[in-house]
Amino acid sequence: MASEPIPAPLVAFAGARPPAPAWFTDALAKAPERTTHQGAGVTIETLAWGERGKPGLLLLHGGSAHADWWSHLAPFFASTHRVVATSWSGMGGTDWRPAYSMDDLMGEMLATLEATGLEEGPVKPLVASHSFGSFPGMAFAAVHGERIGGLITIDSPFLSKEMRAKRDFSRPPSREPRDTLVYDRFEQAIARFRLMPAQTAENLYIVDNIARYSLREVKKADGSSGWTWRFDPFMWSRMTRRDPAEDLAAAKCRLAITWGSRSVLFPDEIKDYVRRQAPAGTFFVEIPEAQHHVLIDQPLALITTMRAVISAWDADDKAR
């Protein structure tokens, strides 16, 4: 019997914000610097917390997402780091491209490191990446790994070619890409927001904040205003990829591979493969009671995990 579809999580709130705990509202009150810079042929959106000159920490979001997926987490690192979250091309407030490639996305990372002061600290900057963001992140580690001090990936499965072929064969046919729908009202649009891959979520105050930054106002054909999503719906069909498992094995910087204990993307087969493929010295951390969207499911546990990894790497740097 087919499982029931997971309903859109924000319908019941009719556009109102869900109640949120103090730690969350306090974090959002530490508003970032919202800027753009030019790089790799596009205008790139960035959010920044913390002073230039501190150790750098670059945060990379997942597919069809945006930099504000990190806005409730980044302030927890701002007292010790210069923290920057960036939106990939085709997503958030960064320009769209006629075609996309991992080389383009790596170029965006290089431009952001240089433009936002992440390389002005006393040590090489670190990178943390969620989901799809770890594929250009790991490509960067393989090609430009000497520029960074380490990469923390969050629920990003690095599959062998055989695993990818098996996964793709078992998936239903994907529909042809099409323009995103335009909704008449903001409340109507935000009620349609869903997580991909689909999952339930308890921390709806985080989902709501992410959803609000996922929308943009546009003009409809009749001249009235409407709302639609801030990602390029044709991006995936125009993306040239690399082999992420090969990049994992070839990484030239320290790695920490983390995943949610309840993630549908990290069965035991993939955990075992990633452990075999990763370079010696890689950290492996399972985050309890988290599904794929660890940033939503277990934000405080993720902060603790990242702090522990950063502290271990910092101690390693001082011991050298």
Side-chain angles (χ1 to χ4, degrees), residues 26 43 56 62 100 144 188 193 204 246 249 255-256 261 276 291 299:
D26 290 347
T43 300
Y100 301 83
H144 303 291
Q188 180 188 18
F193 180 81
L204 294 181
E246 289 185 2
L255 300 178
S261 66
R276 294 194 305 271
Q291 300 181 70

Side-chain angles (χ1 to χ4, degrees), residues 4-301:
E4 291 293 323
I6 296 172
L10 301 174
V11 172
F13 297 95
R17 290 185 181 271
W23 74 262
F24 179 78
T25 54
D26 290 347
L28 293 190
K30 299 180 174 108
E33 308 161 26
R34 293 182 179 269
T35 59
T36 60
H37 61 270
Q38 301 300 309
V42 292
T43 300
I44 300 170
E45 174 187 47
T46 59
L47 283 58
W49 298 258
E51 300 169 4
R52 286 176 178 259
K54 291 180 178 179
L57 176 60
L58 177 61
L59 305 175
L60 307 176
H61 64 76
S64 302
H66 49 77
D68 272 286
W69 272 70
W70 291 98
S71 62
H72 62 295
L73 300 171
F76 285 89
F77 300 92
S79 63
T80 56
H81 287 76
R82 168 70 169 175
V83 188
V84 173
T86 184
S87 294
W88 298 114
S89 55
M91 303 180 235
T94 298
D95 289 343
W96 295 8
R97 297 178 181 273
Y100 301 83
S101 71
M102 290 294 148
D103 287 341
D104 292 331
L105 302 187
M106 285 191 285
E108 293 170 28
M109 289 179 64
L110 283 170
T112 298
L113 288 173
E114 293 167 358
T116 60
L118 289 175
E119 295 182 304
E120 296 173 8
V123 293
K124 294 178 182 180
L126 304 178
V127 179
S129 55
H130 176 235
S131 192
F132 165 81
S134 296
F135 301 139
M138 194 62 75
F140 193 94
V143 178
H144 303 291
E146 70 283 349
R147 296 282 293 266
I148 59 176
L151 169 66
I152 303 170
T153 71
I154 304 163
D155 214 78
S156 306
F158 300 95
L159 309 182
S160 68
K161 293 178 181 178
E162 294 75 18
M163 288 176 176
R164 289 200 303 276
K166 179 181 177 181
R167 177 199 63 186
D168 294 344
F169 179 78
S170 64
R171 284 179 170 175
S174 58
R175 73 180 186 197
E176 289 297 313
R178 61 187 182 186
D179 288 328
T180 54
L181 295 175
V182 177
Y183 301 93
D184 293 333
R185 296 178 296 108
F186 179 85
E187 296 79 8
Q188 180 188 18
I190 200 171
R192 298 290 296 174
F193 180 81
R194 284 177 166 83
L195 298 171
M196 292 299 295
Q199 67 166 71
T200 57
E202 294 182 2
N203 298 329
L204 294 181
Y205 51 92
I206 302 178
V207 178
D208 175 84
N209 191 66
I210 289 170
R212 289 175 186 275
Y213 285 103
S214 299
L215 290 162
R216 60 188 174 96
E217 191 172 10
V218 295
K219 288 292 184 184
K220 297 192 293 185
D222 62 3
S224 63
S225 293
W227 295 87
T228 193
W229 308 108
R230 290 202 307 161
F231 61 83
D232 181 354
F234 300 94
M235 176 184 58
W236 301 117
S237 62
R238 298 170 180 171
M239 176 75 72
T240 301
R241 301 173 182 266
R242 292 167 57 99
D243 188 325
E246 289 185 2
D247 287 333
L248 170 61
K252 301 173 187 173
C253 65
R254 294 170 296 195
L255 300 178
I257 310 295
T258 78
W259 61 87
S261 66
R262 296 169 53 205
S263 173
V264 297
L265 300 187
F266 255 89
D268 289 342
E269 177 189 19
I270 291 177
K271 294 174 194 172
D272 293 342
Y273 177 74
V274 168
R275 287 179 185 274
R276 294 194 305 271
Q277 193 75 359
T282 297
F283 293 155
F284 301 97
V285 184
E286 181 172 279
I287 299 178
E289 295 304 309
Q291 300 181 70
H292 171 64
H293 297 99
V294 182
L295 288 71
I296 296 172
D297 300 329
Q298 294 293 338
L300 300 182

